[in-house]
Amino acid sequence: MNETLIRVEGIAKKFTGRDGTDTTVFENLHFGIQPGEFVCLIGHSGCGKTTILNILSGLEQASAGYVFVGGREVNGPSLDRAVIFQSHALMPWLTVMGNIAFAVSSRWPEWSADKVAAHAQKYIDLVNLTGSEKKRPAELSGGMKQRVGIARALSIQPKMLLMDEPFSALDALTRGVLQEEVLRICAETRQTVFMITHDVDEAILLADKIILMTNGPHAKIAEIVVNTMPRSRTRHDLHKHPHYYRIRNHLIDFLVDRSKLFAAVSAEFDPRHPPLVSPGLDESDGADAGARSQTGGTPPLAAVR
């Protein structure tokens, strides 16, 4: 097994209200991400998904616990961690080339203008925007703007790419196309990705592991599901794979009946670590259940086949 690139150890987040009382949004989160791994986080609104992403990026501080990237503790923003938000967040006065070149120049200020442009062009080509270099954001469709955001994030060659529901504002057709573009790009670059999504099918398509959060306040990781479908999957043939409906139904059952799941597993496991199990899919169910454990720096994972 590769050395863990990202380690999250016991992070929690508390907010103090106007009346002075503290609310714990989530607590005791532990998980790891391997180099080149694509991890999706799913949970209902209020469990702190975006806050978790912000803590990983260094934009917010955890109330407790630690995050390590490449063995170094995260204590602020860094160009080693690139973020793609729901909105494209492009600078409207700059062209496609200008937006990406600005990021490249920030990463490598000693580079010449020609070297910056050549490097930016490589990532414009990667997201299939060749020919749109001189267009400004107002001249681009929503999907094209997100492509620019993806190219800009990847152009600084981050150790970790953080994505906060980047396709949620797009129409279904554009969303599907960009999902496959992300699959292709991650396969080519071996980029490590942490992504928030509410879309179960999107998670199954993109992720190697899917983290399931219980409801907040006091949200925890209920389970980490290993996606056992082959990495070569596409959205057109996803539903044809024999593992697809088992994984999909497992995720939907969790989202529908998440409170019962947390009540069942929280009494069985050490509260310092997340209860990572598949309800009804344990070793007693045999090979058909497909449950297995992963040893190492992260707790056992549930593989749903």
Side-chain angles (χ1 to χ4, degrees):
M1 183 182 297
N2 293 328
E3 182 180 352
T4 302
L5 176 64
I6 296 102
R7 288 190 295 119
V8 175
E9 298 185 353
I11 63 170
K13 187 65 176 181
K14 296 181 180 180
F15 292 100
T16 302
R18 292 183 178 179
D19 59 357
T21 59
D22 289 337
T23 299
T24 300
V25 182
F26 56 81
E27 59 190 357
N28 295 320
L29 304 191
H30 297 257
F31 62 90
I33 302 176
Q34 305 294 328
E37 198 167 42
F38 200 122
V39 174
C40 279
L41 179 69
I42 293 180
H44 286 270
S45 296
C47 70
K49 298 185 300 296
T50 296
T51 303
I52 294 168
L53 183 142
N54 288 340
I55 290 171
L56 266 60
S57 69
L59 296 174
E60 288 190 45
Q61 286 191 331
S63 303
Y66 306 92
V67 176
F68 298 93
V69 176
R72 301 183 65 178
E73 184 180 352
V74 171
N75 52 24
S78 168
L79 291 173
D80 284 340
R81 302 181 300 279
V83 183
I84 299 174
F85 299 101
Q86 293 181 37
S87 60
H88 53 79
L90 302 179
M91 289 175 280
W93 60 90
L94 294 180
T95 62
V96 169
M97 173 61 78
N99 269 280
I100 299 172
F102 180 84
V104 175
S105 297
S106 299
R107 181 70 174 85
W108 295 285
E110 72 280 7
W111 282 12
S112 67
D114 287 344
K115 188 173 182 179
V116 167
H119 186 82
Q121 187 66 52
K122 172 184 173 181
Y123 288 91
I124 291 172
D125 297 341
L126 183 67
V127 298
N128 290 326
L129 281 177
T130 309
S132 299
E133 292 86 351
K134 296 183 179 179
K135 292 183 178 180
R136 288 181 168 78
E139 303 173 83
L140 304 176
S141 67
M144 293 173 75
K145 291 173 185 176
Q146 283 299 70
R147 287 174 187 263
V148 178
I150 293 169
R152 181 177 60 183
L154 292 174
S155 70
I156 63 173
Q157 298 179 345
K159 291 181 180 178
M160 181 181 186
L161 181 61
L162 299 147
M163 306 174 76
D164 189 358
E165 298 190 77
F167 313 132
S168 60
L170 303 175
D171 63 88
L173 181 60
T174 303
R175 181 174 186 147
V177 170
L178 279 184
Q179 286 169 349
E180 295 209 331
E181 285 294 300
V182 167
L183 270 180
R184 175 184 63 82
I185 290 168
C186 288
E188 290 181 18
T189 62
R190 294 296 298 160
Q191 180 66 55
T192 306
V193 183
F194 178 86
M195 176 175 165
I196 293 171
T197 181
H198 278 102
D199 189 326
V200 166
D201 286 317
E202 182 171 81
I204 297 172
L205 175 65
L206 297 175
D208 299 303
K209 292 190 306 196
I210 303 167
I211 300 175
L212 303 179
M213 295 285 294
T214 65
N215 281 2
H218 298 280
K220 295 179 175 65
I221 295 176
E223 180 181 352
I224 301 179
V225 175
V226 178
N227 190 347
T228 55
M229 295 180 64
R231 171 70 15 230
S232 57
R233 53 191 177 264
T234 70
R235 64 189 177 96
H236 298 292
D237 61 14
L238 194 68
H239 67 284
K240 298 177 183 178
H241 195 277
H243 294 185
Y244 168 71
Y245 284 107
R246 290 189 184 183
I247 297 173
R248 188 175 192 275
N249 291 342
H250 185 73
L251 298 179
I252 290 175
D253 286 347
F254 168 82
L255 292 172
V256 170
D257 201 18
R258 60 206 179 277
S259 297
K260 184 184 296 184
L261 168 68
F262 178 60
V265 299
S266 60
E268 187 175 349
F269 288 85
D270 187 333
R272 293 173 298 175
H273 298 283
L276 304 180
V277 297
S278 283
L281 296 179
D282 56 27
E283 292 180 0
S284 64
D285 291 319
D288 186 56
R292 60 181 171 85
S293 293
Q294 174 176 304
T295 59
T298 55
L301 310 180
V304 184
R305 301 177 187 273

